[in-house]
Amino acid sequence: MKTALITGITGQDGSFLAELLLEKGYRVFGLSRRESWYRSNNATHLAGKIEILFGDMAEGVDIASAVQDAHPDEIYNLGSQSRPGESWARAPETMVVNGLGAVRLFEAVRHHCPACRVYHASSSEMFGQTAISPQNEATPFNPVNPYAAAKVYAHQMVKIYRESYGLYIVSGVLFNHESERRPLHFLPQKVAYGAACAALGIQNSPDLNEMGKPIVRQGKLALGNLDIARDWGYAGDFVRAMWLMLQQERAEDYVIGTGKLHTLKDLCKTAYGCVGKDWLDCVVSDPALVRPLESGQTLADPTKARERLGWEPTISFEQMVEKMVGAQIQRLNKST
């Protein structure tokens, strides 16, 4: 039986990955802060099926202890400060967790578990304001926020540790991937929530946005820049790519995305269309929600993953949005 350690197991990706590994017969350990595990989270339903090790990705001792205790065959480093927008207000913390936390993990593997295979979660945010589209494994990085800068540092350190110490460490440069398990502060989930409120006739939502105001106020969903475009895929598909990367003979980095571009306006149209509403009647742009700098057009070229991993997405953009809207309607119905 293989053993895996997942950092960030209580998040969206961590919970989907844990389910996948359990289905494949793995013994699964998760590294989580104590307070994160004991409140309701995405992996709560897996209690009793996974083994939790308590610790913080900001603490090198916690990371080393987890590696020693689990002594895994595979490690999936998904733990991070995962909100690019919030990284402006939490720049030092973002660097400590997303940058130094990854390096401390690589050090722990080097000293305590050098035969272990390691997956590290990189991000399409690293491409930033790029003039090259689509982006592949050779596209230069040009980060425009503290989150992306920290991710670039960790991504470069993956290559350095792999080439300097011969460790099996890979990075997955994952483009935007969403699901019904995303927290409300993520943009696509916020749109799904707005559509659910419209379907239920909720004029002022019980949940608040990052400005401390109702996400839906007087029947309107306030968003930032409506002209952004992203490559959005389904998280359940993306964790399968993570696993495939660690099953290869050679450790290499891969870009993972759908290769299809959708605008925020497309997202709104699809979400509100799921409930028979016109998004133009329900969505407004609020300048206060616009980022200081916005990433350029990020569109994946997943050719390498398709040809070498045999990876293809199975859930379409429309199916993903429908899942998310349905889950938000169900959640709001339970809370009212």
Side-chain angles (χ1 to χ4, degrees):
M1 176 187 291
K2 281 188 176 181
T3 298
L5 170 64
I6 303 173
T7 72
I9 197 167
T10 59
Q12 169 191 260
D13 293 5
S15 63
F16 275 116
L17 179 61
E19 290 172 348
L20 175 69
L21 296 179
L22 287 170
E23 289 173 4
K24 293 183 177 296
Y26 280 66
R27 181 185 182 188
V28 177
F29 287 87
L31 177 63
S32 171
R33 291 192 299 266
R34 193 176 298 271
E35 62 271 21
S36 296
W37 178 249
Y38 284 122
R39 64 172 182 252
S40 180
N41 63 76
N42 286 309
T44 297
H45 65 291
L46 298 176
K49 299 178 181 179
I50 59 178
E51 300 172 57
I52 296 297
L53 302 171
F54 294 115
D56 194 313
M57 283 299 292
E59 300 293 337
V61 172
D62 292 351
I63 296 169
S65 295
V67 170
Q68 288 178 284
D69 291 346
H71 201 75
D73 300 290
E74 298 172 0
I75 295 176
Y76 296 86
N77 183 34
L78 312 183
S80 71
Q81 192 294 100
S82 59
R83 299 164 63 176
E86 188 172 318
S87 71
W88 293 100
R90 300 167 61 187
E93 176 188 341
T94 301
M95 185 61 196
V96 168
V97 175
N98 295 9
L100 295 179
V103 174
R104 286 166 176 157
L105 174 63
F106 305 157
E107 275 292 291
V109 169
R110 182 166 78 91
H111 288 289
H112 304 298
C113 197
C116 177
R117 295 190 168 196
V118 181
Y119 168 85
H120 172 72
S122 287
S123 169
S124 62
E125 285 280 334
M126 299 188 303
F127 294 118
Q129 290 186 333
T130 178
I132 302 171
S133 185
Q135 295 90 39
N136 61 25
E137 292 78 8
T139 304
F141 301 131
N142 186 21
V144 297
N145 58 60
Y147 169 87
K151 283 291 188 179
V152 169
Y153 169 72
H155 182 88
Q156 295 298 103
M157 293 301 285
V158 165
K159 182 180 179 181
I160 289 170
Y161 270 73
R162 184 170 62 217
E163 294 181 355
S164 299
Y165 301 115
L167 300 178
Y168 193 111
I169 305 180
V170 302
S171 282
V173 184
L174 270 57
F175 280 63
N176 297 66
H177 50 290
E178 313 297 332
S179 77
E180 60 277 18
R181 299 182 187 180
R182 269 295 199 203
L184 272 175
H185 50 253
F186 282 85
L187 178 59
Q189 189 71 295
K190 195 181 293 184
V191 173
Y193 179 83
C197 288
L200 298 174
I202 297 173
Q203 291 293 301
N204 294 288
S205 68
D207 295 286
L208 307 179
N209 64 20
E210 54 266 48
M211 306 298 292
K213 299 176 181 178
I215 293 175
V216 173
R217 190 179 184 189
Q218 297 179 344
K220 303 288 187 179
L221 170 66
L223 300 175
N225 181 2
L226 296 176
D227 294 321
I228 66 166
R230 294 288 184 269
D231 182 336
W232 276 299
Y234 188 65
D237 283 332
F238 281 50
V239 300
R240 181 164 43 85
M242 298 176 191
W243 177 78
L244 285 168
M245 288 181 214
L246 295 192
Q247 313 314 308
Q248 307 307 303
E249 183 176 346
R250 181 178 175 184
E252 295 185 66
D253 303 330
Y254 290 86
V255 161
I256 304 296
T258 70
K260 297 179 180 179
L261 194 67
H262 293 91
T263 65
L264 178 52
K265 293 175 182 178
D266 292 335
L267 177 61
C268 292
K269 181 179 179 180
T270 302
Y272 282 87
C274 289
V275 297
K277 302 290 184 179
D278 186 343
W279 75 273
L280 293 170
D281 298 329
C282 306
V283 177
V284 295
S285 179
D286 183 350
L289 298 175
V290 176
R291 293 182 187 177
L293 277 176
E294 194 66 66
S295 295
Q297 180 175 295
T298 51
L299 174 64
D301 174 4
T303 302
K304 181 179 177 181
R306 183 175 63 249
E307 293 179 350
R308 298 195 189 180
L309 302 179
W311 179 85
E312 294 275 4
T314 64
I315 301 294
S316 71
F317 173 79
E318 293 77 16
Q319 290 171 323
M320 176 189 74
V321 175
E322 186 175 5
K323 279 176 174 281
M324 294 172 69
V325 173
Q328 287 301 327
I329 290 174
Q330 186 177 34
R331 187 176 77 85
L332 284 166
N333 272 328
K334 286 182 179 179
S335 64
T336 56

